[in-house]
Amino acid sequence: MGPWCFVDHFGPTGEDDPRRLEVGPHPHIGLSTVTWLLEGAAVHTDSLGSEQALRPGQLNLMTAGHGIAHAEETPLEEAGPMHGVQFWVAQPEATRHGAPAFEHHGELPEVAVGPMWATVLLGSHGGSTSPARTDWPIIGLELLLRRGAAEVPLDPSFEHAVVVLEGTLEVGDTVIEPGRLGYLASGDTELALRAHGDGRALLLGGAPFESEVLMWWNFVARTRDEVDAAAREWNEASDRFGAVPSGLDRIPSPVPPWRASPAPD
Ligand code: MN
């Protein structure tokens, strides 16, 4: 949907079920990771030397370009309920071979949407623009739902998706709850929402992407040869991805299915 190619909605875990994020060093190419927490805490470290704590209301945006490696971990003393999302946004040809980068945004603009509030995570809405980097025309809003209806203006050149994190939302005649993603093709100028009560949802959008992408493991590319090269170079610890200052074990790349030996008869 637009350049958005992956949504990972993790949690919510219960009060009596303390969890920690514990993802050891692993590589990425050709994408930006967009991380947004509703509950809990995480520390991001990467091969650029970044070390950044992330808390609810803050945005981490890591852009891989030609290659980066990172680790994500919840400090032991902050283990507790976790709830959040990480999105992957494909980079266009113009930037996907470029330098990696990392941004943290502690404050993001908020705009009223009828009886609700929206935080502008990416792109522009209602005259407010997120400071976060974008490589392709895109919008990412978090909607703080309140019981009632709202009309959200849309860019008709964008496709959109609605992801409900908490609560229940009606989009037109369709009821969307956590675990489902509502898709809207381009052409609409307005999104009619009705929330059944308090909750949170994400409105994601973007211009239709310039090409198909090939996504495998942590790599967003165009061809199998590009993925093969990235997997090999990560497993050989080449300088392409660099080193991550993390106490966790490095996660090796599995073998792409098109390179696996056929099973014996
Ligand atoms: Mn990652």
Side-chain angles (χ1 to χ4, degrees):
M1 196 281 304
W4 303 88
C5 55
F6 180 63
V7 176
D8 182 11
H9 178 194
F10 49 92
T13 60
E15 291 291 335
D16 54 350
D17 180 20
R19 299 284 183 100
R20 296 175 60 206
L21 210 57
E22 216 174 353
V23 185
H26 60 279
H28 287 288
I29 64 168
L31 62 90
S32 296
T33 61
V34 181
T35 313
W36 178 253
L37 298 178
L38 282 72
E39 266 190 295
V43 174
H44 161 100
T45 48
D46 67 36
S47 50
L48 296 171
S50 317
E51 178 175 348
Q52 179 64 56
L54 182 68
R55 296 178 190 289
Q58 305 174 342
L59 190 76
N60 273 1
L61 180 84
M62 184 186 78
T63 299
H66 179 63
I68 196 169
H70 73 147
E72 295 155 296
E73 189 173 3
T74 305
L76 198 54
E77 64 276 16
E78 301 206 51
M82 285 293 299
H83 192 192
V85 281
Q86 186 176 90
F87 299 99
W88 292 2
V89 179
Q91 289 183 260
E93 201 56 36
T95 64
R96 74 185 185 98
H97 304 290
F102 175 76
E103 294 175 9
H104 172 83
H105 299 284
E107 283 188 41
L108 295 161
E110 296 183 355
V111 293
V113 179
M116 309 180 193
W117 281 92
T119 303
V120 186
L121 309 181
L122 291 166
S124 295
H125 188 82
S128 293
T129 300
S130 164
R133 164 183 177 158
T134 55
D135 290 20
W136 188 256
I138 194 172
I139 178 79
L141 298 181
E142 187 197 49
L143 297 166
L144 199 57
L145 307 179
R146 294 285 175 261
R147 186 182 175 83
E151 306 280 330
V152 185
L154 299 180
D155 181 333
S157 70
F158 282 12
E159 315 172 77
H160 291 88
V162 176
V163 176
V164 176
L165 303 176
E166 294 174 336
T168 302
L169 194 57
E170 283 178 39
V171 178
D173 298 331
T174 304
V175 175
I176 306 175
E177 291 181 315
R180 318 255 344 237
L181 180 147
Y183 170 74
L184 297 105
S186 59
D188 287 340
T189 56
E190 204 170 70
L191 181 69
L193 300 178
R194 179 172 294 278
H196 292 189
D198 290 353
R200 300 230 235 176
L202 295 156
L203 175 65
L204 312 176
F209 201 53
E210 62 187 9
S211 65
E212 293 281 313
V213 299
L214 175 64
M215 192 171 124
W216 181 80
W217 198 47
N218 291 305
F219 305 129
V220 173
R222 302 294 183 270
T223 67
R224 289 179 172 183
D225 283 351
E226 289 175 355
V227 170
D228 287 343
R232 186 179 65 246
E233 289 172 58
W234 171 249
N235 286 347
E236 290 171 353
S238 92
D239 290 344
R240 176 174 181 180
F241 295 103
V244 184
S246 166
L248 298 173
D249 289 342
R250 227 169 164 272
I251 302 174
S253 173
V255 176
W258 55 84
R259 293 194 66 83
S261 312
D265 292 335

